[in-house]
Amino acid sequence: METPPQPPPSYSQPPPFPLLRIMGSNAFLLSIIYLLVGIAVESARRLYPSRFVQRLSLSLDSLPARALELVGVMDRLRLDYTNGQILDYQARLIFAGTTIVIIFVLAFVVGMLVGSLRSYVERRALKKASHRPPG
């Protein structure tokens, strides 16, 4: 018995890559991890204050503080905090929200770069495949 000849593989477009869903889920996961670490460090800072925990807390705060400084809000926030117009937990919520925004923006930018690179590689592969002489 002879098997029928198989049609040549078609080089059609692969199914769409769910990039936005992956970017969103990665950013969400990183946000949850950041918030859990922040809660643990803040709890340790209040219950078991030590130099290490204080430094860890400052390092977690440095990213949102620099972002707020970059957009010109940090001076006002610092002034309101020292004057007692913003409570400690409110400042923490502002910093946490800022970090979550940063995480989602970075996830989007990295996802778009990776998606663009993937699309470029796929187009080159399709182009090479279509220029091959029949074999």
Side-chain angles (χ1 to χ4, degrees):
M1 269 194 188
E2 195 171 313
T3 59
Q6 297 293 323
S10 64
Y11 294 101
S12 65
Q13 190 73 6
F17 191 66
L19 187 61
L20 287 177
R21 186 175 48 214
I22 291 172
M23 289 183 326
S25 62
N26 285 345
F28 181 74
L29 180 63
L30 284 174
S31 297
I32 295 296
I33 291 170
Y34 169 80
L35 291 175
L36 290 175
V37 168
I39 289 170
V41 168
E42 186 64 20
S43 299
R45 188 179 72 84
R46 291 180 183 268
L47 297 175
Y48 308 105
S50 69
R51 181 168 271 204
F52 172 75
V53 173
Q54 185 67 31
R55 286 184 181 162
L56 189 58
S57 177
L58 288 174
S59 68
L60 283 175
D61 291 344
S62 67
L63 176 67
R66 289 182 185 174
L68 291 170
E69 188 80 43
L70 185 67
V71 296
V73 179
M74 191 61 192
D75 289 334
R76 176 67 185 192
L77 181 64
R78 189 179 293 120
L79 182 65
D80 288 348
Y81 182 75
T82 55
N83 290 335
Q85 294 172 332
I86 293 178
L87 301 175
D88 195 33
Y89 81 90
Q90 291 171 323
R92 292 280 170 208
L93 285 175
I94 292 170
F95 274 42
T98 302
T99 304
I100 289 171
V101 168
I102 291 168
I103 288 171
F104 273 88
V105 167
L106 286 175
F108 181 76
V109 168
V110 169
M112 294 310 291
L113 288 173
V114 169
S116 298
L117 181 64
R118 182 175 187 264
S119 176
Y120 172 75
V121 169
E122 286 176 351
R123 280 194 312 265
R124 284 192 50 133
L126 287 173
K127 195 178 204 182
K128 276 187 179 180
S130 67
H131 285 89
R132 270 192 203 142

